[in-house]
């Protein structure tokens, strides 16, 4: 398939057959056609198209699908309290006006992401700069920061020919110097809390020991008192029983007591006791009496 091009050179008409070029635009791309380095047209609909061969015309494709702008290394921002933070963010965006996009980036596709990245940094600087540390680090309020950045980006991104669909803050952390200071402060706070727990525990332990000792002494005293009471009651009952028994048969009682005294005195065959033979102690040695 060919197309005849007439070229007028030095007053002479030279007819040449030059092969024309075909190119396909699919549903995922825009085709930007340049003629001798200048923007000629932007083709947005899918289909088969023709152009003049280079160097007369050339085509640059732009992705019309959703794209991601990511900052894996993190950017440094300052809060309203002058605290430095490292923020990792990603942005979901798409080219919606390819002609305006090409004009804005001056035909350099690599500059599109660079321009958008600068807009994102500006919006983050503005939003984080007017918030305190807690508002930025708190999970729920972090989403508010992302939403505010997206709102700030809306008009600037529109001027660039793109639309921002989502802004997400992946990770927010302190810079190394602040990390160390925060770690030391957290460590000191944990040590203080641990010391408070130890002091409280020691005081409670001392209170428990003192209470246990008091209860022990009370129990021992009450036990001793009850023992003395029981012993006294037992002695009184024993004395009463002895008295009743002695009253029923005094002679037998004296005999029984003497037998108990003999048994306690003479425990072995070689035991010797020296007393007057007329002593009351030997009364029942002579006979059982009545």
């Amino acid at each position: 398939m060919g197309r005849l091009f007439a070229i007028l050179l030095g007053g002479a008409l030279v007819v040449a057959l030059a092969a024309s070029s075909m190119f396909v635009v699919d549903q995922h791309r825009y085709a930007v056609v340049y003629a001798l380095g200048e923007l000629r047209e932007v083709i947005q609909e899918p289909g088969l198209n023709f152009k003049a061969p280079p160097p007369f015309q050339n085509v640059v494709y732009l992705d019309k699908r959703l794209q991601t702008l990511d900052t894996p290394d993190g950017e440094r921002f300052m809060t309203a309290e002058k605290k430095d933070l490292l923020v990792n963010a990603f942005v979901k965006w798409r080219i919606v006006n390819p002609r305006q996009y090409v004009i804005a980036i001056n035909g350099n596709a690599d500059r599109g992401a660079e321009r958008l990245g600068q807009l994102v940094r500006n919006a983050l600087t503005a939003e984080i700069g007017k918030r305190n540390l807690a508002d930025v680090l708190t999970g729920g309020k972090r989403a508010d920061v992302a939403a505010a950045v997206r709102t700030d980006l809306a008009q600037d991104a529109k001027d660039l020919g793109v639309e921002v669909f989502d802004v997400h803050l992946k990770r927010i952390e302190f810079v190394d110097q602040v990390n160390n200071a925060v770690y030391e402060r957290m460590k000191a706070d944990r040590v203080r809390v641990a010391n408070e727990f130890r002091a409280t525990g020691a005081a409670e332990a001392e209170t428990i020991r003192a209470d246990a000792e008091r209860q022990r002494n009370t129990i021992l005293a009450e036990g001793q008192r009850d023992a003395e009471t029981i012993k006294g009651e037992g002695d009184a009952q024993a004395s009463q029983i002895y008295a009743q028994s002695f009253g029923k048969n005094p002679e037998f009682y004296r005999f029984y007591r003497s037998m108990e005294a003999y048994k306690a005195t003479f425990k072995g065959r070689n035991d010797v006791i020296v007393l007057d033979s007329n002593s009351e102690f030997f009364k029942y040695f002579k006979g059982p009496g009545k």
Side-chain angles (χ1 to χ4, degrees):
M1 187 175 188
R3 181 181 296 177
L4 290 176
F5 286 89
I7 304 176
L8 184 61
L9 179 61
L13 181 61
V14 179
V15 179
L17 180 62
S20 63
S21 299
M22 292 187 302
F23 64 95
V24 177
V25 179
D26 60 32
Q27 60 181 345
H28 301 304
R29 298 188 297 178
Y30 302 113
V32 181
V33 181
Y34 290 90
L36 298 176
E38 294 184 1
L39 176 62
R40 182 172 180 270
E41 65 174 327
V42 176
I43 302 173
Q44 302 187 37
E45 297 300 326
L48 181 63
N49 299 271
F50 297 91
K51 70 173 182 66
F56 300 104
Q57 288 185 343
N58 63 296
V59 178
V60 174
Y61 293 99
L62 299 176
D63 198 334
K64 65 169 65 173
R65 293 172 297 185
L66 204 62
Q67 302 183 57
T68 301
L69 175 67
D70 200 355
T71 56
D73 296 331
E75 299 281 350
R76 187 166 180 166
F77 301 95
M78 185 177 293
T79 66
E81 305 154 307
K82 307 302 179 185
K83 300 292 186 181
D84 287 332
L85 293 175
L86 287 178
V87 179
N88 292 85
F90 73 80
V91 178
K92 292 292 185 180
W93 62 285
R94 186 175 65 186
I95 301 172
V96 292
N97 189 334
R99 179 176 291 274
Q100 187 171 352
Y101 179 77
V102 170
I103 294 173
I105 65 175
N106 197 22
N108 186 345
D110 294 335
R111 292 187 58 192
E114 182 182 341
R115 284 283 303 277
L116 183 60
Q118 185 58 52
L119 295 178
V120 173
R121 284 191 292 272
N122 293 342
L124 282 171
T125 299
E127 289 300 326
I128 294 177
K130 62 185 180 185
R131 300 170 187 264
N132 58 38
L133 199 60
D135 289 341
V136 179
L137 294 177
T138 303
K141 295 183 178 180
R142 182 185 301 186
D144 295 339
V145 177
V149 170
R150 178 183 172 186
T151 301
D152 294 344
L153 278 174
Q155 184 57 48
D156 292 335
K158 185 177 180 181
D159 294 339
L160 187 59
V162 304
E163 181 180 1
V164 174
F165 289 87
D166 186 28
V167 176
H168 184 72
L169 305 182
K170 296 190 299 183
R171 184 179 63 181
I172 300 177
E173 60 184 18
F174 295 110
V175 297
D176 291 342
Q177 296 86 345
V178 178
N179 267 339
N180 294 334
V182 171
Y183 172 76
E184 291 300 329
R185 185 167 64 250
M186 292 175 63
K187 179 180 177 181
D189 184 65
R190 292 299 91 193
V191 170
R192 177 185 60 79
V193 172
N195 290 336
E196 288 179 358
F197 278 131
R198 291 192 186 97
T200 302
E204 291 180 355
E206 189 62 31
T207 301
I208 293 171
R209 280 194 291 269
D211 185 64
E213 184 68 21
R214 179 185 59 78
Q215 292 183 29
R216 171 181 173 275
N217 293 334
T218 300
I219 292 171
L220 289 176
E222 291 176 350
Q224 185 69 24
R225 180 200 62 198
D226 294 344
E228 292 295 331
T229 300
I230 294 171
K231 182 179 179 181
E233 292 175 353
D235 290 343
Q237 291 179 11
S239 298
Q240 184 179 5
I241 292 171
Y242 285 144
Q244 291 174 354
S245 299
F246 181 76
K248 289 180 179 179
N249 193 336
E251 181 65 22
F252 178 78
Y253 179 73
R254 284 192 293 268
F255 173 75
Y256 177 77
R257 291 296 299 273
S258 296
M259 292 300 102
E260 289 293 322
Y262 296 156
K263 183 172 68 173
T265 301
F266 302 105
K267 295 182 179 181
R269 297 177 62 87
N270 297 323
D271 290 343
V272 176
I273 185 171
V274 178
L275 286 174
D276 186 356
S277 58
N278 295 323
S279 172
E280 185 71 17
F281 185 75
F282 292 112
K283 176 180 178 180
Y284 293 102
F285 268 26
K286 301 173 182 179
K290 296 181 182 180

